[in-house]
Amino acid sequence: MREETRRKLDRVIRVQRLKRIGIGAMALVAIGAYFVYEDLDARIENVRVPATVAAITPLNVKSTRMIEDGLTVDMLLNDGRHVNVIALKTSSPHVGDHVEITEHHHGTGRITYSWK
């Protein structure tokens, strides 16, 4: 094999190896970013906020058990925001009740609400 042909072949092999290493590195970065995001989303700060029950509707899910036990409660927070909260029927919410719900501030900026 001539020297020039050998250099070209070595160069092609080296480029293929670098491509594979690059793809592997990108996959590791993507997996690492996912774990960082999940960890950040798991950090939660809870705040109790006053609210008024605006409406009560049946829970709209596929699970029969959850439909039997749960309700979707529309809440009007004191600052004017409307939010939906899932509550158990045993909590017995009524329209116009003044209650406190828990506002969960996640590390990613996501805000969720729960009836506790």
Side-chain angles (χ1 to χ4, degrees):
M1 185 181 296
R2 292 191 322 196
E3 188 64 31
E4 182 180 328
T5 307
R6 179 173 295 181
R7 274 188 268 147
K8 286 181 181 180
L9 183 60
D10 286 342
R11 182 172 169 232
V12 169
I13 292 172
R14 195 175 317 117
V15 167
Q16 287 179 349
R17 286 180 184 161
L18 288 175
K19 284 181 185 177
R20 289 181 183 154
I21 290 171
I23 291 170
M26 287 176 61
L28 286 175
V29 167
I31 291 169
Y34 173 77
F35 282 117
V36 168
Y37 179 79
E38 285 295 318
D39 181 55
L40 195 59
D41 197 50
R43 297 176 191 206
I44 301 172
E45 179 184 329
N46 297 327
V47 178
R48 299 288 287 176
V49 293
T52 304
V53 176
I56 301 169
T57 56
L59 197 56
N60 188 15
V61 293
K62 293 182 180 179
S63 170
T64 306
R65 165 111 187 192
M66 290 180 71
I67 291 171
E68 291 174 355
D69 294 340
L71 297 167
T72 300
V73 182
D74 296 328
M75 299 287 215
L76 176 62
L77 300 181
N78 284 357
D79 61 6
R81 294 180 288 165
H82 283 273
V83 298
N84 291 325
V85 178
I86 296 175
L88 292 174
K89 287 183 180 179
T90 57
S91 63
S92 185
H94 299 287
V95 175
D97 286 350
H98 296 286
V99 296
E100 280 194 355
I101 59 173
T102 305
E103 185 176 62
H104 308 282
H105 294 270
H106 297 261
T108 56
R110 185 169 63 107
I111 298 175
T112 58
Y113 299 90
S114 65
W115 180 295
K116 289 187 181 180

